[in-house]
């Protein structure tokens, strides 16, 4: 049986949510390989409260630098009691990890025969897997049974930057075993270019298409999607975007007073994965599947509501974020 249709075919417990931790939200994007510890801590707690019912135990049993002991409370574990954990997948961006290495070496452009590109490929993977480990560690500390999964190591690859191979069976097996898979944007092999960068947003679209979560949440460093860079004084937050069957999309809320006003999307010069352009494109493709997408600022009361699953039925007027859904 094709494991990609596992949930639909076998009627298993549905996938609750796919969460994208934006690189700019969980790292200090202007400081090389620096994690935004405060945001990551809050997001981790919000995820725990959103998916775990009942008691939870810390799961990081590693020895921290400078420590001589491993802190565990094994006597507190009760074999008869296990918290119920909703099925969840986490995918995170790279932020200040990986982008520098990839852009300086040109990994996203391909050309593994060049020594600089091959070195950059290795350096990029060292960087992004380092971040993945720290995110898994943060989630584990809060009792979330998270398992790091690198697309490259799981056999994901591309052809001309489009996904060519992406076996989701390992992800499904981890979910079935009660774990939370944590994937990330990664340097992968490309059958045409030699190599490229597979973005977390593209990974989320592929997972959503095959595993059909109830909804998807993008946690970012801004409040949602704006009609122009949010740093501009006249930028307007787009609260609801409708995606049509042909893939086009339109703004439902708010009604832009200037009908000729166009939505402008920009990409940072160092971003090798397309930035907001890729995010909007992939979010629209997910919404076409009938899956609501919520884009919201991380570590806020609004992200907490999204992660708890309080938005699919009713969007409160005071909720700050962007909803992207299939047009009626």
């Amino acid at each position: 049986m094709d494991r990609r249709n596992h949930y639909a075919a076998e009627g298993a417990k549905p996938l609750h949510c796919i969460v994208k931790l934006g690189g700019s939200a969980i790292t200090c994007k202007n400081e090389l390989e620096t994690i935004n510890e405060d945001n990551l801590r809050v997001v981790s707690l919000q995820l725990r409260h959103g998916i775990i019912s009942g008691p939870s135990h810390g799961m990081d049993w590693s020895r921290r630098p400078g420590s001589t002991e491993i802190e565990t409370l094994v006597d507190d574990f009760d074999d008869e009691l296990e918290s119920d954990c909703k099925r969840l997948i986490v995918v995170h961006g790279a932020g200040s990890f990986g982008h520098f290495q990839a852009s300086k070496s040109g990994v996203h452009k391909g050309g593994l025969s060049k020594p600089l590109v091959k070195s950059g490929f290795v350096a990029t993977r060292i960087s992004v897997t380092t971040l993945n480990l720290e995110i898994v560690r943060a989630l584990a500390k809060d009792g979330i049974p998270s398992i790091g999964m690198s697309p490259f190591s799981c056999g994901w690859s591309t052809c001309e930057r489009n996904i060519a191979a992406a076996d989701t069976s390992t992800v499904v097996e981890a979910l079935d075993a009660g774990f939370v898979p944590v994937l990330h944007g990664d340097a992968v092999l490309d059958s045409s270019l030699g190599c490229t960068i597979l973005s977390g947003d593209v990974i989320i679209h592929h997972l959503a298409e095959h595993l059909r979560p109830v909804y998807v949440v993008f946690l970012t460093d801004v409040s949602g999607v704006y009609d122009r860079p949010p740093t501009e004084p006249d930028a307007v937050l787009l609260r609801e975007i409708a995606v049509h069957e042909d893939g086009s999309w339109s703004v439902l809320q708010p009604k832009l007073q200037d009908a000729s006003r166009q939505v402008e999307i920009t990409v940072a010069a160092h971003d090798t994965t397309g930035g907001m352009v890729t995010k909007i494109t992939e979010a629209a493709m997910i919404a076409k599947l009938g899956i609501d997408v919520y884009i919201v600022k991380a570590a806020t009361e609004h992200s907490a509501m999204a992660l708890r699953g309080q938005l699919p039925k009713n969007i409160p007027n005071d909720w700050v974020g962007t909803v992207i859904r299939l047009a009626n």
Side-chain angles (χ1 to χ4, degrees):
M1 187 184 83
D2 187 348
R3 296 290 289 181
R4 293 178 303 177
N5 298 319
H6 174 85
Y7 292 103
E10 297 185 10
K13 187 178 178 181
L15 179 60
H16 179 64
C17 178
I18 298 177
V19 177
K20 166 66 184 298
L21 303 182
S24 57
I26 55 173
T27 73
C28 303
K29 206 158 186 179
N30 294 323
E31 299 178 33
L32 183 62
E33 297 190 339
T34 303
I35 296 173
N36 186 326
E37 300 282 358
D38 292 338
N39 270 10
L40 183 55
R41 176 63 176 163
V42 173
V43 167
S44 182
L45 287 171
Q46 289 182 349
L47 280 170
R48 186 189 72 186
H49 294 150
I51 69 170
I52 297 177
S53 59
S56 61
H57 301 278
M59 299 182 182
D60 177 15
W61 293 8
S62 61
R63 186 174 69 84
R64 305 299 292 154
S67 174
T68 59
E69 297 180 355
I70 294 176
E71 296 182 5
T72 63
L73 299 173
V74 295
D75 293 338
D76 291 345
F77 282 75
D78 188 336
D79 290 340
E80 301 301 320
L81 296 174
E82 183 173 351
S83 299
D84 183 29
C85 184
K86 296 176 181 177
R87 295 191 180 217
L88 170 78
I89 297 174
V90 174
V91 181
H92 65 82
S96 62
F97 291 73
H99 281 299
F100 170 82
Q101 292 85 347
S103 62
K104 287 296 183 181
S105 61
V107 169
H108 55 298
K109 299 177 182 178
L112 271 180
S113 60
K114 301 175 182 178
L116 176 61
V117 175
K118 182 167 291 184
S119 297
F121 189 97
V122 172
T124 298
R125 296 212 67 254
I126 289 172
S127 187
V128 296
T129 54
T130 296
L131 176 61
N132 182 252
L133 175 61
E134 290 306 314
I135 291 173
V136 168
R137 189 195 303 279
L139 297 177
K141 278 185 174 181
D142 284 321
I144 299 174
S146 50
I147 298 292
M149 292 185 174
S150 294
F152 177 87
S153 301
C154 290
W156 290 42
S157 62
T158 59
C159 179
E160 295 183 352
R161 300 191 179 92
N162 297 312
I163 289 181
D167 183 7
T168 60
S169 62
T170 305
V171 174
V172 170
E173 288 165 3
L175 288 167
D176 288 344
F179 294 109
V180 174
V182 183
L183 293 84
H184 58 87
D186 203 0
V188 297
L189 299 179
D190 186 287
S191 60
S192 176
L193 304 173
C195 64
T196 193
I197 299 297
L198 178 62
S199 81
D201 296 330
V202 174
I203 292 170
I204 285 181
H205 173 227
H206 182 84
L207 293 173
E209 183 176 14
H210 292 286
L211 303 183
R212 300 300 174 109
V214 178
Y215 58 93
V216 171
V217 178
F218 285 82
L219 300 179
T220 73
D221 62 336
V222 293
S223 296
V225 179
Y226 289 79
D227 66 337
R228 59 201 57 242
T231 53
E232 295 188 9
D234 60 344
V236 175
L237 176 66
L238 309 180
R239 288 181 50 83
E240 184 173 359
I241 296 174
V243 179
H244 307 282
E245 293 290 348
D246 62 359
S248 63
W249 51 277
S250 57
V251 180
L252 296 186
Q253 295 185 49
K255 297 294 184 182
L256 299 179
Q257 294 180 348
D258 183 357
S260 64
R261 185 176 174 125
Q262 300 295 312
V263 176
E264 300 176 4
I265 304 296
T266 60
V267 181
H270 62 274
D271 198 331
T272 59
T273 59
M276 188 59 76
V277 176
T278 301
K279 191 181 305 297
I280 297 297
T281 300
E282 299 299 335
M285 294 175 71
I286 293 169
K288 272 189 66 178
L289 301 171
I291 301 168
D292 284 1
V293 178
Y294 306 98
I295 301 179
V296 60
K297 188 172 184 176
T300 64
E301 60 180 310
H302 310 290
S303 62
M305 291 182 65
L307 294 173
R308 285 197 300 264
Q310 295 179 302
L311 299 178
K313 294 182 180 180
N314 298 298
I315 306 295
N317 291 331
D318 60 352
W319 184 75
V320 178
T322 299
V323 182
I324 302 179
R325 55 170 48 129
L326 186 64
N328 295 326

